[in-house]
Amino acid sequence: MIYLFSDKAHEGVVHLPLIRIVYDTSPINLEGIDAIIFTSQNSVKALESLGVAWKNKACYAIGEATAATIQQLGGCVAYIAQQAYGDSFAHELIPLLKQSHVLFPRAQEVVSPLFQILHDAGIAIEERIVYKTQCCDYPPSQAPEDNAILIFTSPSTVQCFAKNFAWNSSYIAIAIGKKTAAVI
């Protein structure tokens, strides 16, 4: 049996969402902001939920899925990362954002030093926590069966799995991304 720990269900696998997203509802002022860096679809959705005028800003997306969310909500994608890793993305952005005042809406917990890389490069950047992830709770009876293949989609899904279930030595883990693999 294959288990996918993601917010989206896919045919042919058992869908077991381990995290839920909680948006920050504090007001945000985008006056003076030229560009917005989005490193997740959730940060796009968080700004949209606040009802702020973000769509007229140049949006920089870490990946195709994030770019698609920006476009679906009416935003303008100025750039999509060549490599979907925060550190690499930051270095790609340095020459593009030299003259911009940038907002980085992000999760409460991040695994990449994107903000620090850009700040150290002299980019005028502000960061704002716009959402956090929380673990869903499951009874032990919902633990994956023996010999299951477990697909982890983020470091948070690995952490929430560990809070819910004991590791079974027969499990096979698959990580989506280097940062996720590092925490398994």
Side-chain angles (χ1 to χ4, degrees):
M1 186 70 63
I2 300 172
Y3 290 79
L4 176 64
F5 306 119
S6 170
D7 59 342
K8 295 179 184 167
H10 293 275
E11 192 173 323
V13 298
V14 176
H15 177 236
L16 191 62
L18 289 171
I19 60 174
R20 66 179 153 270
I21 305 301
V22 179
Y23 299 136
D24 183 337
T25 58
S26 304
I28 189 168
N29 182 358
L30 298 181
E31 188 174 324
I33 297 293
D34 303 308
I36 304 173
I37 299 170
F38 291 108
T39 56
S40 75
Q41 295 176 63
N42 290 320
S43 58
V44 180
K45 294 173 185 175
L47 278 192
E48 179 70 6
S49 74
L50 290 172
V52 296
W54 65 271
K55 296 172 189 173
N56 60 343
K57 310 292 182 183
C59 298
Y60 294 78
I62 197 164
E64 295 291 339
T66 301
T69 301
I70 292 166
Q71 291 171 330
Q72 287 167 359
L73 293 174
C76 175
V77 177
Y79 183 79
I80 301 172
Q82 294 175 18
Q83 294 185 21
Y85 292 101
D87 306 27
S88 302
F89 186 33
H91 290 289
E92 291 175 36
L93 292 173
I94 291 169
L96 303 174
L97 297 174
K98 279 288 187 194
Q99 304 302 317
S100 300
H101 188 177
V102 181
L103 175 68
F104 173 38
R106 66 174 185 84
Q108 183 174 18
E109 292 184 35
V110 293
V111 294
S112 167
L114 179 139
F115 173 84
Q116 197 61 50
I117 291 168
L118 293 173
H119 182 266
D120 290 349
I123 304 298
I125 185 169
E126 297 177 32
E127 65 181 340
R128 169 75 185 272
I129 296 169
V130 293
Y131 73 95
K132 63 182 175 179
T133 57
Q134 294 180 335
C135 293
C136 297
D137 295 318
Y138 291 97
S141 62
Q142 286 197 275
E145 61 188 39
D146 289 351
N147 301 306
I149 297 170
L150 311 179
I151 303 173
F152 295 96
T153 57
S154 69
S156 296
T157 59
V158 176
Q159 294 163 352
C160 291
F161 180 89
K163 287 182 180 179
N164 277 283
F165 307 116
W167 185 258
N168 179 318
S169 62
S170 73
Y171 292 156
I172 297 170
I174 297 173
I176 305 297
K178 294 175 187 176
K179 300 283 185 178
T180 304
V183 297
I184 291 183

